[in-house]
Amino acid sequence: MTSPYQETVDEPPEPGAPARRTPLWRGQGPALAVVAVGGAAGASARYGAALLWPARTGGFPWTTFGVNVVGCFVIGVFMVLITEVWTPHPLVRPFFGTGVLGGFTTFSTYAVDIQRLMDEGHPRTALAYLAATLFAALAAVCLAVMLTRRAAARWSAGREPS
Amino acid sequence: MNWVLVIVGGMVGAPLRYLTDHAVRSRHDSAFPWGTFVVNVVGCLVLGALTGAATAGAASSHLQLLLGTGLCGALTTYSTFSYETLRLAESGARLHAAVNVVASVTAGLGAAFAGVAAAQAVWA
């Protein structure tokens, strides 16, 4: 999912050329550029959220929790739209899915916040945060996929002549 | 200045994730999302080390914004992790989905703790 552009951008290997020698970024220029721009936008949005709602020392990291759950919900909506409802430009998925949403959500801050809470003597908050993020993130993506599929089915049924 | 550091870090982190996933997929034809797993664990290790270094006074707040908030934040992802877990479960690979969740959280936390401990051993 993180490199959805590869099928459409990769040129076929030249005859006789060893496939393993092909540089990773070959033919990936446009995708890498939109992933970089999207990643910068997503990371900035996460940083902005952290400035707006700074985490309290030793408290439940609500901002990162919210960022991750919102990002999981949005990716559920987005993936159903671009894989089941319409076929977008091939750069839409790397830009928004891989770049913006991937840059917005974070796994490393999640893990290090748990480590920090444990280290500071808040094991209960750490465990609650660990479980709540996991549960809410998975529930958000499931719910988003389900609701978007239902809305898309209703929308296409409404368009068909009866 | 702070925003520039986050933007630059994000502009490096997200493409690194994209390239890592691409590299892993081109070498291992597996249903298991190894690419996301690898970037998440590596990002946890680096952010752990950075946090340990910052606690010891060896990493400035600017470095934390560039490498932590920007690079590690954009390198790792919760949205793709969740979506890939759902895809595994939907495709019938429920065991793989469960293994992905348990392994990602366990390895990510292990990497974060190891990174902090290593940085503290070096700088403390």
Side-chain angles (χ1 to χ4, degrees), chain A residues 21-104:
Chain A
R21 289 282 181 84
T22 310
L24 267 178
W25 48 85
R26 187 162 171 239
Q28 299 283 333
L32 281 175
V34 297
V35 167
V37 172
S44 301
R46 175 164 39 78
Y47 179 55
L51 290 180
L52 273 176
W53 302 289
R56 195 167 46 85
T57 309
F60 191 95
W62 284 110
T63 306
T64 308
F65 173 83
V67 160
N68 279 336
V69 175
V70 167
C72 287
F73 188 89
V74 177
I75 204 167
V77 174
F78 175 71
M79 290 308 295
V80 170
L81 287 180
I82 66 156
T83 56
E84 299 171 24
V85 179
W86 77 72
T87 310
H89 187 279
L91 287 174
V92 168
R93 186 167 164 175
F95 170 71
F96 193 74
T98 311
V100 175
L101 292 176
F104 183 58

Side-chain angles (χ1 to χ4, degrees), chain A residues 1-6 10 20 24-25 28 31-32 35-37 39-40 43-44 46-48 51 68 71-72 75-76 79 83 94 97-99 101-103 105-112 114-115 118-119 130 133-134 137-138 141-142 145 149, chain B residues 2-3 6-8 10-12 14-15 17-23 25-27 35-36 40-41 43-44 47-48 51 65 68-70 72-87 90 101 104-105 108-109 112-113 116 120:
Chain A
M1 152 69 213
T2 43
S3 55
Y5 196 52
Q6 67 203 53
D10 268 358
R20 290 282 168 94
L24 267 178
W25 48 85
Q28 299 283 333
L32 281 175
V35 167
V37 172
S44 301
R46 175 164 39 78
Y47 179 55
L51 290 180
N68 279 336
C72 287
I75 204 167
M79 290 308 295
T83 56
T98 311
L101 292 176
T105 62
T106 172
F107 200 89
S108 49
T109 308
Y110 164 73
V112 171
I114 293 169
Q115 185 280 331
M118 297 284 277
D119 202 42
L130 188 160
T133 301
L134 207 49
L138 292 172
V141 74
C142 290
V145 164
R149 276 186 188 145
Chain B
N2 290 350
W3 286 92
V6 173
I7 287 168
V8 170
M11 288 191 92
V12 175
R17 171 162 40 81
Y18 181 87
L19 285 174
T20 305
D21 193 62
H22 189 189
R25 273 173 207 266
S26 66
R27 280 158 183 75
T36 307
N40 277 346
V41 174
C44 288
L47 188 64
T51 306
L65 285 172
T69 310
C72 288
L75 176 68
T76 62
T77 172
Y78 221 100
S79 48
T80 303
F81 160 70
S82 297
Y83 181 73
E84 285 172 341
T85 303
L86 174 68
R87 291 294 300 155
E90 277 190 339
V101 169
S104 294
V105 172
L109 279 177
F113 275 89
V116 172
Q120 281 172 347

